[in-house]
Amino acid sequence: MGLADLVASGMDSVEATGLLMNIVWTMIGAFLVYFMQAGFAMCEAGFTRAKNTGNILMKNMMDFVLGSLLFFVFGFAIMHGSDLNGIIGTSGFLDPTKLADADGLFNGLPIGVFIIFHTVFCATAATIVSGSMAERTKFAAYLAYSAAISIFIYPVSGHWIWGGGFLSSMGFHDFAGSTAVHMVGGICALIGAKILGPRIGKYGKDGKPRAIPGHNLPIAALGVFILWFCWFGFNCGSTTAATTSLGDIAMTTNLAAAAATLMAMVVTWVRYGKPDVSMTFNGSLAGLVAITAGCDVVSNWSAIIIGLIAGALVVFSVEFFDKVAKIDDPVGAISVHGVCGATGTILTGVFSSEINLGTQIIGVVSVMAYVAIMAIIVFTIINKTIGLRVSKEEEIDGLDVHEHGSSAYADFNFRI
């Protein structure tokens, strides 16, 4: 219905105008978050080898495809259906539009607007894992995982935080998903990469890690620029309303990202002798992830400090997983999303007087424990049935040829 229709139905003209503005803004936010799939695809493809590019693109596409269908059928009901003991939603399966009130609204928005906004968030959580398990995972196994996170993992912890669950009732604050989206994806990435094992040639006989450079830094950089741009939809769009706070949220988001990028560049310059390109761009993402939980409640200077912490942390975290834990993460997703997501959520309780630090810690630990347990179960079942890893020959030749029968770069020889 348009403005005239809403007024004719008995709604005040000012209220009707506000509703339409909220709808438009929330839909713009949803569209921007959807386009993050392109950013992740470019970022992951650029930071990995050319012989696996087609596989990376397919996984990012299918994350959204499966997430859209399964979140509609099952996930939205689990996340936003009638609450059962603060743990899980129990209504709206198969047709979540039935959860709308008599006016067709849900949480103050038309039900379709609310569903599509949360659908794109679900797809984001799923796609984070793609980069950490890149270059050696069976495509069929990845599809099974993507389905599992869209049904059993993201919607449950999402219900705790955003669907009226126990963390929400405790006052846990995660405005746009540092924990609900990013840490969930990061923990799944950690478990998946650990069970899967490192790529061939990643570690020498002495156990020391070897660098496996990505094939296209310009594409990776384009992915980061796309993600930074779309993050304004991710954070500002989470108001689901055209409010006066949009500018403040955009400012904290941007300042944290800028501070993190600068800090990552400085830290790598000091540690490695030269400013590292890939780590600097990962610093941008680290800052964006970290500020996402508290972008609506922290000051501009607090956002800068959170960004500086995330920018330094991501460098040391990547080194830890690479050298100490010996978990092969080609794109650094575990550190960017998992570590910085958890840290940013906790720091919200440090820098905002409105948020209880203890509650933030409880929320992070609770979600971390649930996601880790479920990810272990899911990946173990997949590994014992479908099998997670491709053969040695397939990994050496590249997944594009063996898994998809084509190459992203025709007539190039990638047997390296």
Side-chain angles (χ1 to χ4, degrees):
M1 294 190 294
L3 178 60
D5 299 313
L6 290 172
V7 173
S9 69
M11 185 178 290
D12 177 82
S13 61
V14 174
E15 182 183 358
T17 301
L19 174 60
L20 291 175
M21 291 179 66
N22 293 343
I23 291 170
V24 170
W25 173 243
T26 303
M27 292 301 294
I28 290 173
F31 299 153
L32 285 170
V33 176
Y34 165 73
F35 196 57
M36 291 177 80
Q37 295 294 128
F40 281 119
M42 294 297 96
C43 193
E44 293 168 16
F47 284 145
T48 52
R49 288 170 289 185
K51 61 185 179 181
N52 300 304
T53 300
N55 180 259
I56 292 287
L57 301 179
M58 280 289 286
K59 289 195 294 184
N60 278 271
M61 172 60 80
M62 296 312 299
D63 279 328
F64 187 79
V65 169
L66 290 175
S68 295
L69 296 170
L70 295 173
F71 190 72
F72 173 79
V73 176
F74 304 108
F76 190 87
I78 293 172
M79 189 167 177
H80 292 287
S82 300
D83 176 64
L84 177 63
N85 299 322
I87 301 299
I88 194 170
T90 59
S91 60
F93 291 97
L94 303 181
D95 185 8
T97 60
K98 293 180 179 179
L99 294 174
D101 62 21
D103 296 320
L105 302 178
F106 188 88
N107 283 2
L109 289 171
I111 185 68
V113 175
F114 199 81
I115 292 174
I116 193 63
F117 188 77
H118 279 276
T119 296
V120 294
F121 272 63
C122 177
T124 300
T127 203
I128 289 168
V129 182
S130 172
S132 292
M133 299 178 67
E135 303 199 295
R136 72 264 202 214
T137 306
K138 286 183 179 179
F139 185 62
Y142 188 80
L143 294 180
Y145 149 76
S146 186
I149 192 174
S150 300
I151 301 173
F152 303 114
I153 299 178
Y154 172 77
V156 175
S157 57
H159 179 79
W160 300 353
I161 299 168
W162 292 333
F166 76 95
L167 290 179
S168 175
S169 64
M170 289 174 61
F172 178 74
H173 188 85
D174 184 12
F175 182 69
S178 287
T179 289
V181 177
H182 296 283
M183 193 190 77
V184 166
I187 296 297
C188 288
L190 170 63
I191 302 300
K194 176 62 177 178
I195 294 176
L196 183 62
R199 290 167 290 176
I200 294 172
K202 174 60 181 178
Y203 294 97
K205 293 181 180 179
D206 58 0
K208 293 183 178 180
R210 298 169 175 168
I212 302 179
H215 83 284
N216 197 324
L217 277 178
I219 287 294
L222 175 62
V224 173
F225 282 121
I226 289 173
L227 288 169
W228 193 326
F229 170 67
C230 292
W231 225 284
F232 293 115
F234 201 92
N235 287 1
C236 298
S238 290
T239 58
T240 62
T243 69
T244 56
S245 64
L246 294 179
D248 297 328
I249 295 171
M251 281 295 296
T252 55
T253 299
N254 193 62
L255 288 170
T261 306
L262 178 62
M263 178 59 80
M265 183 193 73
V266 170
V267 171
T268 59
W269 206 332
V270 171
R271 288 184 66 79
Y272 311 145
K274 294 181 180 180
D276 185 86
V277 178
S278 61
M279 196 71 81
T280 299
F281 276 84
N282 258 344
S284 305
L285 301 182
L288 290 164
V289 168
I291 196 60
T292 294
C295 57
D296 64 322
V297 292
V298 301
S299 68
N300 289 333
W301 277 106
S302 294
I304 291 172
I305 296 171
I306 290 172
L308 292 174
I309 293 171
L313 180 62
V314 72
V315 176
F316 293 105
S317 178
V318 167
E319 289 185 4
F320 171 80
F321 285 109
D322 202 34
K323 298 177 180 179
V324 180
K326 299 192 186 309
I327 295 176
D328 184 14
D329 181 0
V331 302
I334 298 169
S335 300
V336 168
H337 300 278
V339 174
C340 292
T343 302
T345 305
I346 293 171
L347 289 176
T348 300
V350 174
F351 289 103
S352 173
S353 59
E354 304 172 30
I355 309 302
N356 183 274
L357 176 58
T359 301
Q360 294 299 99
I361 295 173
I362 291 171
V364 167
V365 172
S366 299
V367 174
M368 189 180 297
Y370 172 75
V371 174
I373 292 169
M374 288 301 298
I376 290 171
I377 293 171
V378 168
F379 282 119
T380 299
I381 291 174
I382 294 173
N383 197 32
K384 297 295 184 182
T385 53
I386 301 172
L388 277 175
R389 189 161 189 142
V390 298
S391 68
K392 180 178 180 179
E393 180 185 4
E394 290 171 330
E395 184 175 346
I396 292 173
D397 290 344
L399 274 60
D400 285 5
V401 173
H402 287 280
E403 291 276 37
H404 307 288
S406 62
S407 172
Y409 302 95
D411 302 322
F412 280 66
N413 181 13
F414 298 126
R415 190 175 177 84
I416 55 174

